[in-house]
Amino acid sequence: MGNDFAYSVLMPLAPWEPPAQVAVALASLRKQTLPPDEVVVSCDGAPPEPLMVMLGAESLPLELLIGPGLEGVGPVLARGLAHCKYEFVVRADADDISHPERCATQVIWMSQHPELSAMGCTIAEFVDNPDQPISRRGVPTDGLSIARMAQSRNPLNHPSVILRRSAVLAVGSYRSVAGFEDYDLWLRLLAAHGCQTLANLPQTLVSAKVGAAHLRRRHGLHYALVEAKFFYRCGKEALLPWWSVVRVVLMRFPLRLLPSGLLAQSMKIFTRQ
């Protein structure tokens, strides 16, 4: 399609990711109707030999960045984004699957809407078989609805987004905000550019792997305190109004302390994050 549609893929990678799982995610990128011009894999520490061998044999135009380890997702993504060569950067996780038309759809849409800094879409969630999704995580599609949702909930599905590199770098890129690196970025983009800067497509273009571990990371007193600290920071930095911070913390803190089964049902109803 020409250089106007050149794009990078940015994939963060933890050293403990199973090679077979990563291979499936990369295979989905090879099947794109608009192939990536580069795939930047940013590792949080040196991958073990089986993972290195698999990555070394990959036919995609893959560049491996290896960090010192134990940095967290924010610094890993920030390093990878800085290394990307192209203005359009598609985010892909090492345990998710991009549908064949995903990248073409998102790159073309972003090229036609220069006001956008980031755009996501609906995702299908699966446990073992991507052909048997257990749920779909929808998101609002217009900027005003996205901005309203952002007052209390993450309005974009992070594994589904495409970024405009220059716009993200201009607001400070990803930061070290454990568990909320993407939400923090969307709020800063909204603060800088208003509701027209974010969008979502209604199509389901990504299948995301979920499971019990996914929920456990969002459960318990420790996570409740981390979450409250994040929203306090949002208020302090004027990314959210204080009334919103107080309302969200009061609503979410008790939910995080529920047994995991009740939490799963409650999150579907109230917060869906």
Side-chain angles (χ1 to χ4, degrees):
M1 289 187 179
N3 290 334
D4 289 344
F5 299 109
Y7 71 97
S8 305
V9 173
L10 173 57
M11 178 182 288
L13 183 63
W16 54 84
E17 295 284 2
Q21 180 176 278
V22 180
V24 171
L26 292 173
S28 75
L29 298 175
R30 290 198 303 272
K31 297 174 183 177
Q32 292 301 303
T33 57
L34 178 63
D37 294 271
E38 69 169 352
V39 177
V40 175
V41 177
S42 185
C43 300
D44 194 4
E49 184 177 358
L51 192 51
M52 283 292 291
V53 170
M54 187 276 294
L55 293 171
E58 179 56 55
S59 61
L60 286 163
L62 189 148
E63 294 194 50
L64 187 61
L65 305 180
I66 299 177
L70 301 178
E71 296 175 281
V73 176
V76 167
L77 285 171
R79 180 175 61 249
L81 186 66
H83 189 83
C84 288
K85 299 175 184 176
Y86 299 101
E87 178 71 336
F88 299 139
V89 179
V90 171
R91 273 281 292 105
D93 280 345
D95 56 355
D96 296 338
I97 297 171
S98 294
H99 299 187
E101 71 280 8
R102 177 206 173 174
C103 293
T105 301
Q106 292 189 309
V107 168
I108 292 171
W109 189 270
M110 287 287 282
S111 71
Q112 294 172 342
H113 296 82
E115 74 280 7
L116 292 178
S117 300
M119 181 182 69
C121 66
T122 299
I123 63 174
E125 297 178 321
F126 70 96
V127 176
D128 297 312
N129 187 348
D131 295 326
Q132 297 178 352
I134 61 169
S135 63
R136 294 187 186 274
R137 191 190 304 176
V139 277
T141 56
D142 67 281
L144 185 57
S145 297
I146 289 170
R148 286 172 178 165
M149 177 182 279
Q151 295 290 309
S152 59
R153 295 164 53 190
N154 192 333
L156 274 66
N157 292 319
H158 196 202
S160 78
V161 301
I162 180 172
L163 307 170
R164 194 176 302 273
R165 181 177 181 272
S166 60
V168 173
L169 293 178
V171 298
S173 191
Y174 286 96
R175 301 194 296 187
S176 182
V177 188
F180 299 91
E181 295 85 0
D182 56 326
Y183 195 178
D184 171 67
L185 177 56
W186 315 147
L187 290 173
R188 284 182 285 125
L189 286 170
L190 286 168
H193 303 297
C195 64
Q196 74 279 0
T197 199
L198 301 180
N200 284 305
L201 295 177
Q203 298 100 308
T204 302
L205 300 173
V206 174
S207 294
K209 186 175 177 63
V210 297
H214 180 81
L215 180 61
R216 282 197 299 269
R217 290 195 297 268
R218 291 159 176 78
H219 175 257
L221 179 60
H222 175 73
Y223 187 84
L225 293 171
V226 169
E227 187 171 58
K229 182 179 179 180
F230 165 70
F231 280 106
Y232 174 78
R233 177 175 177 171
C234 289
K236 193 174 182 180
E237 296 185 0
L239 298 176
L240 289 173
W242 280 110
W243 65 264
S244 180
V245 170
V246 172
R247 178 171 64 91
V248 172
V249 171
L250 288 177
M251 179 183 73
R252 289 190 176 213
F253 199 95
L255 290 177
R256 300 302 183 186
L257 304 181
L258 290 174
S260 58
L262 287 176
L263 175 63
Q265 295 302 316
S266 300
M267 295 303 280
K268 287 180 181 179
I269 298 170
F270 294 111
T271 62
R272 199 61 186 94
Q273 184 186 354

